[in-house]
Amino acid sequence: MRYRLLAPSAAAACLLLAIPASAAQPTPGAPGVGDSYYPANGNGGYDVSHYDLRLKYQPKTDLLEGTATLIAKTTQDLSRFNLDFGLPVSEVRVGGKKASFATSGKHELEITPATPLAKGKQISVVVRYAGKPSDLKIDGFTAWARTPDGGVIAQEPEGSAWWFPGNDHPTDKATYDISVSVPDGTQAISNGVLLSESSKLGWTRYNWRSDKPQATYLTTLAIGKFDITKDTTASGLPVINAFSKDLGVNDGAARASIERTTEVTEWLETVFGTYPFNSVGGYVPNVPAGYALETQTRPFYGKKAFDRGSNVSVVVHELAHQWYGDSVALKDWKDIWVNEGFARYSQWLWSEKEGEGTAQELAQYAYDQHPADDPFWTVKPGDPGPQNQFHGAVYDRGAMAIQALRNEIGDEDFFTILKEWPTTRQHGNASVKDFVHFAEKASGKPLSELFDTWLFTDTKPAAPAAHDAGVARATKPSAATSSAPSSAPLKQPKSWKQIEATNSVHDHGAGGCNCGQH
């Protein structure tokens, strides 16, 4: 701002004009970010850059005690702001000073600092709390799953409110230091790399660090008794896998799948580019869940995911999310296709690599599985609605859209896009619209009509158009029409059943978990 000397009369005349700019009234931050599907998730008025979580957990009683320190920057003049959290809070400090707090809504912790906060100010927020996560019900369920020897949190689209206070929306990513104290003989698994492990007076503390931006729902914690295996990729990336010591008959299948993480990661780097984080791996706790989740650097796999034997395809899916969904996160939950469509397509590419069916064959077979009157086609992958966010159409029809793109622009441009998108958008957020514009610019072709057909219509794309896109089978001329589809049955690709088996594996539910609690 520039200043100049004024005559006394001019200064007096301008005094009132000067006051509003320097004395704007602080206002409360919004209680939600206004997401299309989950408007109450997240909060306005600040951005978190780092979470420091210091926790103590007793498996026998499910008591979690915590001190969370958030480093954030205000984005407006704040009189009050919210965190998403549900456990009982005993104290809150903002900038070292005690702040008053109250609860509202389903999971809102309303914090009023001792003095208002100016826009652009870096602040620290300390929250002390204790409670039993499994007792906390939001919308009638708990996302915290107790196990015979501990507890686990891995949930989408929300889960952090059960164990730490935060800004629970993918648009506010942060780095994490997670320190967890558990009884000796018990382990704590989280994101990133293990910085240290120490034991004192019957308790062992594990200190984990995730040093790249990470969404709250991708932050995980598993406490129990695990067999931990370690490896490194060809580029030196640490691989940390953990298996509950009580997986029963699924133990072998789980290990046969997750222990291929190194191989899958190395292959995915050839498809999507350099891995974006500081470690990779996976864990399988003794949770009676049939879903998997791409928790950053360390995907969660429910043990029931291996009821039918090993499945490397699900590992491919969750690891592909590290690029598509984790590093490049969605802007709004309606943009779920930028996560799931590409993770499913990565399974098709793995099938192609393994000689078990090309992506083209899988797209054509998937197209043929659903007649025109199948409700499958009424779900629009580009905006499926909260109740259909994890519907099979988001995956299979979403992957058909990607195959149609590949056929339209050719392999050279297509595979360049697969690498450049997660590179140029690394650690950021993006929408379906953003990807369409990116693909058009990279290929030099107009693609809006193609994506409208495959992502935003509620009917089955007609056979001629689908054939032109390379998604429907080849057609054969008939007396009635030159574009009548062949009635001969299409041979099922060898990989189809294993990929199909992952449909229920990725049915997270709209904020719920298939753990018998929702």
Side-chain angles (χ1 to χ4, degrees), residues 286-310:
N286 185 11
V287 175
Y291 72 98
L293 181 63
E294 59 274 14
T295 40
Q296 193 160 304
T297 72
R298 194 134 301 110
F300 158 91
Y301 301 90
K303 73 172 185 178
K304 289 179 68 64
F306 308 103
D307 277 351
R308 288 179 275 186
S310 64

Side-chain angles (χ1 to χ4, degrees), residues 45-374:
Y46 63 93
D47 287 318
V48 182
S49 60
H50 184 72
Y51 290 88
D52 184 277
L53 308 179
R54 191 167 182 87
L55 311 172
K56 183 177 182 180
Y57 182 73
Q58 175 54 263
K60 290 182 179 179
T61 61
D62 193 42
L63 178 64
L64 177 68
E65 301 172 81
T67 299
T69 302
L70 287 66
I71 305 301
K73 188 174 184 179
T74 58
T75 58
Q76 68 177 71
D77 293 321
L78 278 175
S79 61
R80 188 182 74 230
F81 62 93
N82 288 16
L83 296 176
D84 299 300
F85 193 49
L87 292 180
V89 172
S90 59
E91 183 182 45
V92 177
R93 288 180 178 266
V94 178
K97 297 179 180 179
K98 280 192 175 183
S100 59
F101 59 92
T103 59
S104 66
K106 297 177 181 178
H107 48 57
E108 299 293 330
L109 176 64
E110 298 182 352
I111 298 172
T112 304
T115 56
L117 304 173
K119 179 181 179 180
K121 180 180 178 63
Q122 181 167 290
I123 60 172
S124 64
V125 182
V126 178
V127 182
R128 300 182 190 277
Y129 56 95
K132 297 182 177 182
S134 62
D135 286 347
L136 174 61
K137 301 293 193 298
I138 298 175
D139 288 330
F141 78 98
T142 177
W144 181 273
R146 292 196 71 180
T147 64
D149 52 15
V152 177
I153 183 75
Q155 196 50 247
E156 181 181 22
E158 54 191 354
S160 59
W162 277 265
W163 66 293
F164 71 90
N167 197 14
D168 193 15
H169 194 269
T171 50
D172 192 3
K173 297 180 180 182
T175 55
Y176 286 79
D177 281 316
I178 300 177
S179 177
V180 189
S181 183
V182 293
D184 286 348
T186 302
Q187 293 137 307
I189 308 296
S190 191
N191 310 80
V193 297
L194 183 63
L195 297 181
S196 64
E197 174 186 340
S198 60
S199 181
K200 184 178 180 181
L201 300 176
W203 291 81
T204 301
R205 181 166 291 279
Y206 295 85
N207 296 301
W208 292 88
R209 171 168 290 175
S210 197
D211 66 353
K212 296 295 188 293
Q214 179 172 293
T216 45
Y217 86 96
L218 296 172
T219 307
T220 190
L221 179 64
I223 296 167
K225 297 180 179 179
F226 295 92
D227 178 19
I228 298 176
T229 66
K230 297 180 180 181
D231 194 7
T232 56
T233 66
S235 62
L237 184 71
V239 182
I240 306 169
N241 296 324
F243 305 89
S244 170
K245 294 184 178 181
D246 189 23
L247 293 179
V249 296
N250 285 9
D251 183 80
R255 291 174 185 268
S257 306
I258 311 305
E259 288 292 83
R260 295 185 69 181
T261 291
T262 301
E263 172 193 355
V264 172
T265 302
E266 291 174 350
W267 171 73
L268 284 170
E269 285 194 304
T270 69
V271 180
F272 298 145
T274 303
Y275 182 79
F277 305 121
N278 65 349
S279 73
V280 70
Y283 74 95
V284 189
N286 185 11
V287 175
Y291 72 98
L293 181 63
E294 59 274 14
T295 40
Q296 193 160 304
T297 72
R298 194 134 301 110
F300 158 91
Y301 301 90
K303 73 172 185 178
K304 289 179 68 64
F306 308 103
D307 277 351
R308 288 179 275 186
S310 64
N311 194 328
V312 180
S313 189
V314 68
V315 177
V316 172
H317 185 106
E318 302 308 333
L319 292 179
H321 272 310
Q322 305 305 305
W323 287 263
Y324 283 81
D326 291 11
S327 179
V328 185
L330 45 75
K331 282 183 177 178
D332 187 289
W333 280 104
K334 71 179 181 181
D335 298 313
I336 190 65
W337 174 76
V338 299
N339 293 17
E340 302 299 348
F342 288 88
R344 171 50 56 89
Y345 194 77
S346 72
Q347 295 174 272
W348 290 8
L349 290 177
W350 177 263
S351 169
E352 195 168 289
K353 179 188 87 74
E354 295 288 282
E356 295 183 344
T358 65
Q360 176 80 4
E361 292 167 343
L362 285 159
Q364 293 177 350
Y365 191 80
Y367 178 88
D368 274 5
Q369 297 310 294
H370 304 280
D373 60 355
D374 190 327

